[in-house]
Amino acid sequence: MTSDAPLLVIDQGTTSTRAIIFGPDGDVRGVAQRELPQIYPAPGWVEHDAMRIWQDVQAVVRDALAAAGTAAAEVAGIGITNQRETTVVWDRATGQPIHNAIVWQDRRTASICEQLRQKGAEELVRQRTGLLLDPYFSATKIAWLLTHVPGAEDRAARGELAFGTIDSFLVWKLTGGRCHVTDATNAARTMLLDIRTGRWDPELQRLFAIPRGLMPTVVDSAGVVGHCLPELFGAAIPIAGLAGDQQAATFGQAAFAPGMVKSTYGTGCFALANTGEIPVRSENRLLTTIAWQLDGRRTYALEGAIFVAGAAVQWLRDGLGVIGQAAETEALARQVEDTGGVYLVPAFTGLGAPWWDPEARGAIVGMTRATGVPQIARATLEAVAYQTRDLMDAMIADGIPTPQALRVDGGLSVNDWVMQFMADILDLPVERPSVTETTALGAAFLAGLAQGVYRDLDDVAGRWQRERLFEPSMAPERREALCGGWDIAVRRVLTS
Ligand SMILES: Nc1ncnc2c1ncn2[C@@H]1O[C@H](COP(=O)(O)OP(=O)(O)O)[C@@H](O)[C@H]1O
Ligand SMILES: O=P(O)(O)OC[C@H](O)CO
């Protein structure tokens, strides 16, 4: 194997499944993608057909290899990155899921969380897992599947069933059921892992009534866990990297030093700050999570999640119908000097970090007869920056030193106007990399690290390239006035 051998990444996201062939410098040689249908069986419920995901993975891998003109035998390794927390339980004998996957957004287990909270379980969960007791994470989703699928509890007790997040399910399928593993970053999102030791926690397993036999083995984020069946793509390619998508993006941004922060702007926004080898407990309702595990050593991160970022731009397009394409918002925002005091708080599905107010709903405040589409479009974009500022303030209040810069990626990060406004509001340089497929790139870096394509983290960091730097240039008084207005607008939508 030469060090310029390509890497194959499977990026299994909430709304699509993609495969990308990367050269060692992060150059994209071939891409294939399939949209994933969302299943909404009841209000607040979201499911995926896990077998459909598996079929799509096979199809996109074949198509990406063909698009790149790469034979499977040339590929140095496979990296898998995935939507996190989404829960699959399958039969070990047949490999068939016992039910649709329950997606991270699904709220059906809110009452289970409430009952556990009343029993005083929240502190144990926070201490061991770094997470909040919330339906977002896998544990209560597994419990729901075991109690609602007929016979599942007995089958699980007999060791006939397996649980996994999407990474785990895909490795099982790719290896023909030989490997039942998950990496530490995905394991950290189940609410069953003691993030300090990197091991499943027996007390939490009892709390959620999850039998031990269900659980995968926790492995490093970089390292060969097995090989895909040769009949799938024409060669037994090593599966060499696994990571949840937000952690993979952090790795793809080469945010290796403690204090470095990345923020990914897609439908929502996820900001992660590297805290080094110490899991920092948040006093500001951020999550503590594993950023990656290499050679058994864990690096930790503080994470803030915003539910609506690009989704608000989609709402301008599909809900209000005032734009035809997301990119039009940039010209609209530039048409006016300011929003004229208008703020849009996009709490369409409640507010995430640091507020965690599920009952809050969206609002546009401060409108006058002079308010038009440009002001509302601009306020929608400005909200992305204000929400990021709230996350950064929470991180700094939790003891993270003010970072030197914010590294950004994701679909919305192509909007130059937002990125400049972000730099101004954060009073921080904003760096956009030349490869914006940062999530997939991170999985390629992990697989390449395992396979000797990269020597070490310094070698990986050397491949990261900045495309553009946005320097803050706003007068402090203006920043303070704008942020003060945002704080008032948020207070108007909070329910408690
Ligand atoms: N030029 C742009 N300006 C503002 N928002 C944009 C722009 N281009 C894309 N978006 C937004 O970015 C999001 C898509 O980003 P992407 O990273 O593909 O999201 P996801 O992976 O969550 O589906 C959409 O919500 C879209 O509205
Ligand atoms: O697939 P995405 O990009 O929507 O990411 C989902 C996150 O991993 C949820 O925690």
Side-chain angles (χ1 to χ4, degrees):
M1 194 69 64
T2 63
S3 66
D4 67 345
L7 295 153
L8 162 60
V9 170
I10 297 167
D11 180 357
Q12 204 302 300
T14 312
T15 56
S16 73
T17 302
R18 295 190 309 147
I20 303 182
I21 312 293
F22 283 103
D25 286 321
D27 46 309
V28 174
R29 297 186 181 171
V31 186
Q33 173 164 349
R34 289 203 171 186
E35 296 308 311
L36 181 64
Q38 309 295 304
I39 304 165
Y40 302 111
W45 294 28
V46 190
E47 297 181 357
H48 287 159
D49 175 353
M51 286 307 278
R52 162 75 187 253
I53 290 178
W54 167 231
Q55 281 150 15
D56 286 353
V57 163
Q58 294 171 78
V60 293
V61 167
R62 290 194 188 109
D63 290 351
L65 286 168
T70 301
E74 296 169 46
V75 174
I78 298 178
I80 300 177
T81 181
N82 54 289
Q83 53 167 322
R84 307 168 302 168
E85 301 95 11
T86 297
T87 299
V88 193
V89 174
W90 66 92
D91 185 306
R92 288 179 182 274
T94 63
Q96 282 291 329
I98 63 166
H99 190 275
N100 279 335
I102 302 186
V103 176
W104 58 277
Q105 296 148 323
D106 191 293
R107 311 301 297 174
R108 81 184 65 179
T109 57
S111 60
I112 306 181
C113 292
E114 193 44 49
Q115 283 160 21
L116 291 169
R117 198 170 295 120
Q118 278 167 16
K119 283 194 205 157
E122 182 138 41
E123 184 49 29
L124 175 76
V125 167
R126 274 198 70 190
Q127 229 184 52
R128 301 277 162 86
T129 69
L131 306 174
L132 301 168
L133 185 45
D134 190 274
Y136 177 18
F137 308 105
S138 314
T140 56
K141 299 181 197 291
I142 309 173
W144 188 94
L145 287 171
L146 294 184
T147 49
H148 287 79
V149 176
E153 258 171 339
D154 290 343
R155 288 162 75 194
R158 289 198 296 270
E160 294 170 14
L161 301 181
F163 151 75
T165 37
I166 296 292
D167 58 315
S168 183
F169 178 65
L170 291 179
V171 172
W172 176 281
K173 287 292 191 191
L174 287 163
T175 61
R178 287 190 181 88
C179 294
H180 186 208
V181 298
T182 188
D183 96 296
T185 67
N186 277 292
R189 315 298 291 194
T190 59
M191 212 151 64
L192 293 165
L193 191 86
D194 184 335
I195 58 166
R196 299 161 307 178
T197 62
R199 297 209 190 95
W200 300 125
D201 187 282
E203 213 174 328
L204 291 173
Q205 283 175 316
R206 272 195 300 280
L207 181 71
F208 295 105
I210 314 284
R212 284 190 83 95
L214 212 59
M215 305 305 286
T217 304
V218 183
V219 297
D220 280 352
S221 313
V224 175
V225 296
H227 292 74
C228 71
L229 297 175
E231 57 269 32
L232 288 171
F233 311 120
I237 315 171
I239 302 168
L242 302 176
D245 55 10
Q246 299 310 321
Q247 285 89 338
T250 314
F251 206 84
Q253 287 278 24
F256 299 140
M260 289 181 80
V261 186
K262 77 89 201 181
S263 194
T264 301
Y265 298 95
T267 307
C269 156
F270 295 87
L272 269 77
N274 182 327
T275 63
E277 297 198 350
I278 302 158
V280 173
R281 182 186 163 116
S282 176
E283 300 304 331
N284 295 281
R285 317 211 81 203
L286 300 173
L287 306 175
T288 308
T289 204
I290 296 176
W292 45 80
Q293 180 177 304
L294 302 173
D295 298 322
R297 291 167 74 106
R298 283 168 291 289
T299 296
Y300 294 90
L302 267 187
E303 172 175 324
I306 299 170
F307 301 141
V308 174
V313 176
Q314 281 169 349
W315 173 75
L316 290 180
R317 188 192 63 193
D318 306 334
L320 286 192
V322 294
I323 55 168
Q325 284 186 345
E328 289 169 27
T329 51
E330 180 153 358
L332 283 169
R334 288 186 198 278
Q335 262 177 39
V336 285
E337 285 286 298
D338 53 43
T339 65
V342 173
Y343 289 89
L344 184 141
V345 185
F348 300 144
T349 52
L351 280 175
W355 311 107
W356 295 99
D357 185 344
E359 308 303 332
R361 288 296 173 266
I364 301 177
V365 301
M367 287 192 288
T368 66
R369 280 294 294 270
T371 303
V373 170
Q375 286 82 3
I376 290 177
R378 184 168 168 134
T380 306
L381 298 183
E382 287 190 355
V384 177
Y386 295 132
Q387 289 187 285
T388 307
R389 167 192 164 261
D390 290 343
L391 288 185
M392 300 293 283
D393 282 354
M395 286 179 175
I396 290 164
D398 274 337
I400 303 292
T402 305
Q404 288 175 348
L406 176 70
R407 291 193 169 180
V408 294
D409 55 82
L412 187 141
S413 73
V414 304
N415 189 311
D416 290 343
W417 187 85
V418 185
M419 294 304 116
Q420 181 56 51
F421 189 75
M422 181 91 67
D424 289 339
I425 289 299
L426 300 179
D427 194 20
L428 206 63
V430 166
E431 293 187 299
R432 189 169 62 195
S434 51
V435 179
T436 46
E437 297 285 3
T438 316
T439 300
L441 183 64
F445 282 160
L446 286 164
L449 202 56
Q451 292 298 77
V453 175
Y454 311 111
R455 275 189 321 278
D456 51 23
L457 292 186
D458 286 344
D459 188 8
V460 172
R463 318 276 173 141
W464 185 90
Q465 276 186 359
R466 187 165 74 199
E467 179 256 339
R468 188 155 169 191
L469 178 70
F470 299 87
E471 293 274 13
S473 63
M474 188 182 274
E477 311 77 57
R478 175 138 196 258
R479 179 184 315 118
E480 273 157 37
L482 287 172
C483 293
W486 167 257
D487 292 341
I488 293 167
V490 170
R491 252 176 265 135
R492 288 172 72 167
V493 309
L494 289 174
T495 58
S496 53

